[in-house]
Amino acid sequence: MNPTHKLHIFDMDGTILDSMPMWSTIASDYLDSYDIPHDDDVNKLIEAYTLENAAKYFIELGLDKTIDDIIKDIYDFSFNKYKNEIPAKPDMAELLKKLHETDETIILLSASPVQCAVAAFKRLNILEYFDKLFSCQDFETDKTVPETFINVAASLGFKPEDAIVYEDALYSIRSAKAAGCKTVAIYDDFARNEWDEILKTADEIFITPDKHKNITKM
């Protein structure tokens, strides 16, 4: 492998797409629709969860549904948003295009289902830039642990030090750094309280708070 060739690992929600406003209330909205009591911070609590783990947590709270039914409910709601509404973050399409033109390896690693990514990326004309689309569920893990990034890189024949991770969440940036990856931070309002710490942790910054204000639908 060319020693200068890099693996670019992109998060989706809050990084490529401005989808966090939807996800920021989806847990409480869903639980409220079934009159299930929950903590005020339930949306923040499940931020790092896969849909399966979120479903398990909802059942622990008292929701009388199967894991599969809960996942389907959330998927159906979010899929329509991805397919029809959610915009890209500023300059993200241009970055993906530039990396694609230089023949770098570009993949998605998201806690959301791959089908949602396909729907949004087709509408935004960026699907062609990706070599692989992964959900964390494909590796039966999440981004709270460094091993996730190590295993994803290894599955494509890369060492962590040859991977660049693009993320908006502090916990993911920390995990990627601990794995040995280079990290690029993307500002998102949902993580604004962590931005100062993100600035200290990430290797580079791509989207700043000022640039984030310029998001438009594509």
Side-chain angles (χ1 to χ4, degrees):
M1 181 178 293
N2 186 332
T4 64
H5 188 83
K6 300 296 182 183
L7 171 65
H8 299 261
I9 304 175
F10 282 84
D11 173 52
M12 180 170 70
D13 298 303
T15 298
I16 296 175
L17 301 181
D18 188 31
S19 49
M20 292 312 295
M22 174 189 71
W23 287 111
S24 66
T25 61
I26 196 168
S28 57
D29 290 346
Y30 183 68
L31 292 169
D32 288 345
S33 71
Y34 289 97
D35 295 322
I36 301 297
H38 58 79
D39 292 337
D40 292 340
D41 64 349
V42 65
N43 296 298
K44 186 67 175 177
L45 180 65
I46 70 163
E47 178 184 341
Y49 285 12
T50 62
L51 286 181
E52 182 177 354
N53 287 339
K56 290 177 180 177
Y57 180 65
F58 294 164
I59 291 171
E60 291 176 5
L61 291 177
L63 184 58
D64 187 17
K65 282 200 165 198
T66 66
I67 291 175
D68 288 343
D69 284 344
I70 296 171
I71 291 175
K72 184 178 184 304
D73 287 346
I74 297 174
Y75 172 77
D76 288 346
F77 172 81
S78 61
F79 180 82
N80 288 327
K81 295 285 188 180
Y82 283 109
K83 184 177 181 181
N84 300 306
E85 298 180 24
I86 295 173
K89 288 289 193 74
D91 298 336
M92 193 56 69
E94 291 80 1
L95 172 61
L96 291 166
K97 183 175 186 290
K98 179 180 178 181
L99 293 173
H100 178 71
E101 289 174 344
T102 57
D103 204 31
E104 295 282 73
T105 299
I106 306 170
I107 70 165
L108 177 77
L109 180 63
S110 175
S112 297
V114 166
Q115 295 91 331
C116 292
V118 171
F121 292 178
K122 280 184 177 179
R123 171 173 53 83
L124 297 166
N125 297 315
I126 60 175
L127 182 61
E128 65 183 289
Y129 302 145
F130 288 86
D131 296 284
K132 293 280 186 180
L133 301 177
F134 292 118
S135 166
C136 290
Q137 294 184 29
D138 294 327
F139 295 89
E140 298 182 343
T141 186
D142 57 40
K143 299 180 186 178
T144 61
V145 292
E147 288 76 16
T148 298
F149 295 98
I150 295 171
N151 293 338
V152 169
S155 74
L156 296 167
F158 286 87
K159 297 178 180 179
E161 55 264 35
D162 293 321
I164 303 171
V165 176
Y166 301 76
E167 279 281 356
D168 65 299
L170 178 59
Y171 68 88
S172 296
I173 293 171
R174 283 175 169 166
S175 294
K177 287 273 288 186
C181 304
K182 180 179 178 179
T183 55
V184 178
I186 310 296
Y187 177 82
D188 192 87
D189 280 341
F190 191 66
R192 59 185 175 276
N193 292 335
E194 299 175 336
W195 185 242
D196 287 345
E197 193 62 30
I198 288 173
L199 287 174
K200 297 175 185 177
T201 307
D203 296 298
E204 292 185 12
I205 308 298
F206 181 67
I207 292 181
T208 61
D210 287 343
K211 189 176 288 187
H212 182 267
K213 295 177 181 178
N214 299 322
I215 294 172
T216 57
K217 291 187 178 181
M218 297 177 63

